[in-house]
Amino acid sequence: MASTVQERADAQLPLREHRGRYRRILRFAAWNLAATWWFELFLPRIGLSRVAARTRSRRMRRFAQRFHDLAVDLGGLMIKVGQFLSSRLDVLPPEITKELEGLQDEVPPVAFPAISALAARELGTPLDRVYASVDPTPIAAASLGQAHRGRLNPADAGDTGLDAVVLKVQRPGIGAIVDVDLAALRKVAGWLSHIRLVSRRADMPALVEEFAQTSLLEIDYLHEAVNAERFAADFAGDDRVEVPGVVWERTTRRVLTLEDVTAIKITDVGALRAAGIDPAAVAPVFASIMFDQLFTNGFFHADPHPGNIFVTPVPPGAGLPWKLTFIDFGMMGEVTASTRSGLRKLLIAAAARDGKGLVAAINDVGVLMPSADSVALERAMTQLFARFGGMGFAELREVDPREFRDFAVEFGDVVRSLPFQLPENFLLIIRAMSLTSGVCSALDERFNLWDSVEPYAAQLLRNERGNVVQDVARQALDAAGVAFRLPGRLDALAGRLEEGSLQVAVPRLERQAARLDRAVRRSASALVFGALLLAGAIVRPDDVALGNVLMTASALPLLHALWVGRRGR
């Protein structure tokens, strides 16, 4: 009932203001699309492509600056759009992503009487009957809502065991503003879908729908409350992590009441030291917790910026003398079991500085399309690891900036030339890891993320070692089956060709088919040899007998490969 009342209130906001907002967004998009058509399509057709190329970088920066100003002025979803675009490294040029990456979701607060009235309508009673007190000065104000400190009334405090709380309330009218912004974005996406230059690189309507889904969930505070409890359940019994409790009796889709867990901001190094906490000791624990979310739990905090994590001192005991407290669960990501498996392979490849293995893992995750030529990407990643692999942030700061620019240009060109598009959750993974890296380096400028990656990757490898032999055996049998079925298939193909159902003007076909048969058999034997040898080497430290058996057995396919090769000469 309260939600229906609020929806009617949203609908009664000035219609002219909504229309003006819608038209302003469309005018901005139309003007920039027209400029892009002129420079990127029309001028090259009349032989003036150099003019377009010469001004491209400056035009991209100017567009990003104008969008930044528009987003700050309009608020609503436009700030979220800017943050979303800043992460689309797979679609947009660096001039745009760089300009928008600093866009902060901070806006002037709404006057407290309007916030109080909305919260009272949602809860069905005046705030002074629900809370013993509410501070009219917000502790945070964002484009979608703002937060105030308060205290529960004695009855609720007795029922929940909580006293100090944080009251999170949506901005009045934000539902209608979100609808207007999404309608404008869908219109622009429809325009873009008809531009071949854009449509062959990205499915813009699908991207807008991804963004819409994320945004609509973010303004549903019941969904955020469920996320908070799920996150708490994932870390139940883990002394390193704390999550605020939810006061469900005082929570609706537009009002969220949480336990006040405010403590030391994770990057407040001075306050940490004053509390006797070593900031350098916090960094690896934070990194490990984020790795657990991504690679083990499959449910992760996608916005772990410093304002959303506190360090909470605890009384001395058996464990750490502090905990990491997470807040704001509006933006969360999920990793499917198959993606999590691919990410584990990616982490292991990164720890091993294996550029080729890293690209293979990226392919397993489903980012690269089947038609992608990954050779250039493998070369770029191999060179990247060769030059910068294993360096911490302090060491990276000492590297000549020109080297970074050269690698950024090469890698950016390679990425944009490949047919792939990162799915939304993968972007959230990148965002989470990027913020994690930044927080850790703020805690300890000498912090090396590789120091946390390598032991975690080693643990993952040990956990999965039990499946290695089975996987190797299964792959070897599959390869052998393909190899031994191939001659029959080649004979059948040759029979169809002889019947005349397909005309092929290729002499010596039988000899070439036989040569292909030998090559496939030899490759299959070499594959089985390598698989058995590798399996033996991995298993041997834990099981010497089994390791020796596997390594000895690898000699049989090796001899077969050599024999087939000699017979084909």
Side-chain angles (χ1 to χ4, degrees):
M1 182 67 180
S3 296
T4 302
V5 172
Q6 180 57 35
E7 287 166 3
R8 289 174 181 168
D10 286 349
Q12 292 169 1
L13 289 173
L15 185 60
R16 182 179 301 175
E17 179 182 334
H18 291 164
R19 286 177 177 170
R21 181 184 186 90
Y22 179 81
R23 289 169 181 165
R24 186 175 175 188
I25 295 171
L26 292 188
R27 279 199 304 270
F28 177 88
W31 170 259
N32 284 282
L33 282 175
T36 301
W37 173 85
W38 174 265
F39 284 100
E40 302 298 335
L41 296 177
F42 180 74
L43 291 185
R45 285 183 180 178
I46 62 174
L48 296 177
S49 57
R50 290 186 179 180
V51 174
R54 189 166 57 246
T55 61
R56 182 173 295 121
S57 181
R58 185 171 68 254
R59 284 186 287 109
M60 294 295 180
R61 279 195 299 271
R62 194 183 307 133
F63 161 78
Q65 290 165 358
R66 286 199 297 261
F67 184 85
H68 184 285
D69 295 340
L70 176 76
V72 171
D73 189 29
L74 291 180
L77 285 187
M78 290 300 103
I79 290 178
K80 299 289 183 182
V81 170
Q83 294 174 330
F84 180 79
L85 293 177
S86 70
S87 65
R88 295 305 310 205
L89 303 176
D90 59 319
V91 176
L92 298 174
E95 292 85 356
I96 293 178
T97 57
K98 183 70 175 176
E99 187 68 33
L100 295 177
E101 68 181 4
L103 191 60
Q104 299 296 315
D105 191 2
E106 296 176 358
V107 298
V110 176
F112 184 69
I115 289 291
S116 176
L118 187 153
R121 285 197 302 270
E122 281 291 306
L123 297 173
T125 185
L127 291 191
D128 57 7
R129 295 185 182 178
V130 180
Y131 302 94
S133 64
V134 177
D135 188 347
T137 303
I139 56 176
S143 58
L144 302 182
Q146 61 191 54
H148 296 258
R149 281 199 176 95
R151 291 188 176 279
L152 292 176
N153 63 33
D156 285 344
D159 291 340
T160 62
L162 303 176
D163 179 25
V165 294
V166 170
L167 180 65
K168 189 173 178 180
V169 185
Q170 283 185 15
R171 296 177 76 89
I174 193 63
I177 290 174
V178 167
D179 288 341
V180 169
D181 289 354
L182 289 177
L185 292 172
R186 289 184 175 111
K187 186 74 171 178
V188 174
W191 293 347
L192 291 171
S193 67
H194 296 294
I195 300 176
R196 194 174 171 191
L197 181 68
V198 176
S199 63
R200 68 186 180 190
R201 287 294 299 130
D203 185 348
M204 293 308 298
L207 286 180
V208 169
E209 291 309 316
E210 287 178 4
F211 175 73
Q213 182 179 11
T214 301
S215 301
L216 292 173
L217 288 176
E218 199 167 348
I219 61 172
D220 183 352
Y221 287 166
L222 290 174
H223 182 75
E224 179 174 346
V226 170
N227 285 342
E229 293 206 335
R230 179 178 172 183
F231 190 88
D234 282 347
F235 287 96
D238 191 329
D239 294 337
R240 304 171 302 167
V241 179
E242 186 174 22
V243 179
V246 178
V247 184
W248 283 103
E249 296 80 1
R250 305 305 175 205
T251 295
T252 72
R253 287 187 60 232
R254 292 178 171 84
V255 176
L256 175 61
T257 304
L258 295 166
E259 176 186 4
D260 187 356
V261 291
T262 307
I264 304 171
K265 185 177 178 180
I266 191 170
T267 52
D268 190 344
V269 174
L272 289 173
R273 290 199 175 104
I277 299 171
D278 181 8
V282 175
V285 175
F286 174 56
S288 176
I289 291 170
M290 292 303 300
F291 289 152
D292 284 342
Q293 295 173 47
L294 286 164
F295 302 110
T296 303
N297 301 340
F299 182 65
F300 65 95
H301 199 302
D303 196 23
H305 64 73
N308 284 340
I309 303 126
F310 298 116
V311 180
T312 306
V314 297
L320 291 170
W322 45 267
K323 292 184 176 183
L324 290 179
T325 303
F326 288 76
I327 63 171
D328 194 351
F329 300 93
M331 187 184 295
M332 304 294 290
E334 290 197 58
V335 187
T336 63
S338 59
T339 301
R340 197 153 63 245
S341 175
L343 287 174
R344 284 196 287 264
K345 293 178 183 177
L346 190 149
L347 185 66
I348 292 168
R353 320 290 198 269
D354 179 5
K356 188 172 183 178
L358 189 70
V359 174
I362 292 173
N363 196 36
D364 287 346
V365 171
V367 171
L368 290 176
M369 296 181 182
S371 60
D373 179 6
S374 57
V375 174
L377 185 58
E378 288 179 5
R379 184 170 61 252
M381 295 308 300
T382 300
Q383 292 177 3
L384 192 69
F385 279 131
R387 180 63 186 92
F388 303 115
M391 288 188 177
F393 285 95
E395 295 170 293
L396 289 173
R397 278 196 288 269
E398 299 172 3
V399 176
D400 188 338
R402 287 174 295 184
E403 289 194 53
F404 287 123
R405 283 197 296 271
D406 292 343
F407 271 96
V409 169
E410 178 182 3
F411 186 69
D413 290 344
V414 168
V415 168
R416 285 188 291 277
S417 67
L418 288 173
F420 84 107
Q421 182 172 299
L422 296 177
E424 169 69 10
N425 259 8
F426 204 82
L427 287 172
L428 293 179
I429 292 170
I430 294 174
R431 173 182 173 81
M433 291 311 300
S434 175
L435 289 171
T436 299
S437 181
V439 169
C440 289
S441 63
L443 287 165
D444 179 9
E445 65 176 13
R446 308 277 326 164
F447 178 80
N448 188 340
L449 191 61
W450 296 106
D451 292 340
S452 293
V453 168
E454 287 172 339
Y456 200 90
Q459 181 62 45
L460 287 176
L461 191 58
R462 284 194 296 272
N463 292 343
E464 296 187 354
R465 180 175 289 170
N467 298 322
V468 169
V469 176
Q470 293 94 323
D471 290 343
V472 168
R474 184 167 52 251
Q475 291 172 13
L477 288 173
D478 290 344
V482 170
F484 286 107
R485 285 195 303 270
L486 187 60
R489 293 183 178 181
L490 289 174
D491 288 341
L493 176 60
R496 286 196 296 271
L497 291 173
E498 291 173 357
E499 291 171 1
S501 58
L502 179 65
Q503 298 295 326
V504 181
V506 180
R508 299 183 301 242
L509 178 61
E510 187 175 344
R511 195 185 319 169
Q512 290 179 4
R515 189 177 301 160
L516 177 61
D517 178 20
R518 288 194 299 272
V520 171
R521 286 178 181 271
R522 190 178 184 187
S523 298
S525 296
L527 174 63
V528 176
F529 160 72
L532 290 173
L533 184 65
L534 178 61
I538 292 175
V539 172
R540 196 171 185 275
D542 297 328
D543 191 334
V544 176
L546 179 59
N548 288 338
V549 168
L550 290 172
M551 295 178 74
T552 302
S554 69
L556 296 176
L558 175 62
L559 293 173
H560 181 264
L562 295 174
W563 177 73
V564 170
R566 286 181 175 275
R567 196 182 70 167
R569 291 179 181 174

